[in-house]
């Protein structure tokens, strides 16, 4: 974390987060997203903030790799990928914004570990194309990630990513009813 003019600027794995007033601005390569504090709506996958899904820097980096991997797929393909990992148990039918809340879901650890390995490998391939210093550092960090080890030591926040990704892919834009 670096400090710039009194505001925190975080740089993790190819994106920047800047907190300005009551907004959070996310800059991903060519995309910029602005999130206004207090706005409650069903989050699209692109709006999930990776820093919410980790208690360690490595968990945040891997969450970023998983998010990027899913965003490079079509929504249908990404949903199929996530559905192969999680078996949601819908308990609260209408959570925030009317979308069902998957609670007490079953996450297949072996499939989650394999998904992490796929996401990391995909991110490394994407970074190799860029050929800049920051990409080189990111590749070096990602090459040390092992899905099985991540799953064995994951925090509740980290595994929460897969549930939120499922919910955002399943119910955003078309708000399917269970």
């Amino acid at each position: 974390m670096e400090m710039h003019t009194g505001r925190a600027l975080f740089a993790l794995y190819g994106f920047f987060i800047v907190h300005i007033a009551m907004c959070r601005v996310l800059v991903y390569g060519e995309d910029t997203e602005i999130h206004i504090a207090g706005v409650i709506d069903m989050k699209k996958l692109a709006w999930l903030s990776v820093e919410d899904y980790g208690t360690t820097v490595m968990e945040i980096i891997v969450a970023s790799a998983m998010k990027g991997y899913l965003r490079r797929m079509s929504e249908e393909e990404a949903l199929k990928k996530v559905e192969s990992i999680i078996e949601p148990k819908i308990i609260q039918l209408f959570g925030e914004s009317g979308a069902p809340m998957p609670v007490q879901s079953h996450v297949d650890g072996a499939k989650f570990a394999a998904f992490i390995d796929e996401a990391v490998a995909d991110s490394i391939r994407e970074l190799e194309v860029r050929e800049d210093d920051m990409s080189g550092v990111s590749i070096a960090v990602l090459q040390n990630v092992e899905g099985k080890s991540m799953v064995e030591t994951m925090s509740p926040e980290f595994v929460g990513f897969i549930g939120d990704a499922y919910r955002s892919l399943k119910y955003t834009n078309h708000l399917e009813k269970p």
Side-chain angles (χ1 to χ4, degrees):
M1 178 170 76
E2 299 176 34
M3 295 303 287
H4 295 276
T5 62
R7 280 183 243 155
L9 172 66
F10 301 89
L12 290 174
Y13 179 64
F15 68 92
F16 296 93
I17 303 164
V18 182
H19 296 278
I20 302 172
M22 296 297 288
C23 299
R24 179 186 301 162
V25 179
L26 304 175
V27 181
Y28 298 88
E30 297 111 25
D31 297 339
T32 301
E33 301 164 8
I34 299 175
H35 304 275
I36 300 171
V39 173
I40 298 174
D41 64 335
M42 185 58 223
K43 291 183 178 180
K44 293 182 179 182
L45 179 63
W47 296 351
L48 297 181
S49 299
V50 294
E51 72 269 12
D52 294 340
Y53 299 103
T55 58
T56 66
V57 172
M58 188 58 79
E59 283 185 343
I60 294 169
I61 290 169
V62 174
S64 179
M66 292 187 298
K67 178 181 173 182
Y69 180 52
L70 291 172
R71 288 189 70 196
R72 285 186 284 278
M73 298 177 188
S74 69
E75 280 191 17
E76 294 78 21
E77 186 181 5
L79 179 59
K80 283 180 82 170
K81 180 64 76 174
V82 171
E83 285 179 328
S84 73
I85 299 164
I86 187 171
E87 184 182 322
K89 303 294 183 199
I90 308 297
I91 293 175
Q92 183 180 352
L93 290 181
F94 293 97
E96 87 184 28
S97 297
M101 295 288 293
V103 183
Q104 296 181 355
S105 299
H106 172 76
V107 174
D108 185 311
K111 289 180 181 178
F112 191 32
F115 171 72
I116 291 168
D117 289 337
E118 290 171 21
V120 166
D122 179 72
S123 294
I124 289 171
R125 282 190 299 275
E126 288 290 317
L127 290 166
E128 286 173 339
V129 173
R130 295 186 191 173
E131 298 179 358
D132 60 28
D133 291 340
M134 186 65 166
S135 295
V137 170
S138 298
I139 290 168
V141 170
L142 288 170
Q143 286 174 333
N144 293 313
V145 173
E146 182 181 289
K148 182 180 177 197
S149 176
M150 290 297 300
V151 168
E152 289 172 349
T153 61
M154 69 185 165
S155 67
E157 291 84 359
F158 184 74
V159 75
F161 172 81
I162 207 71
D164 287 349
Y166 169 82
R167 187 167 180 251
S168 70
L169 290 163
K170 182 86 172 171
Y171 300 108
T172 302
N173 295 332
H174 38 82
L175 287 177
E176 271 183 35
K177 301 292 185 214

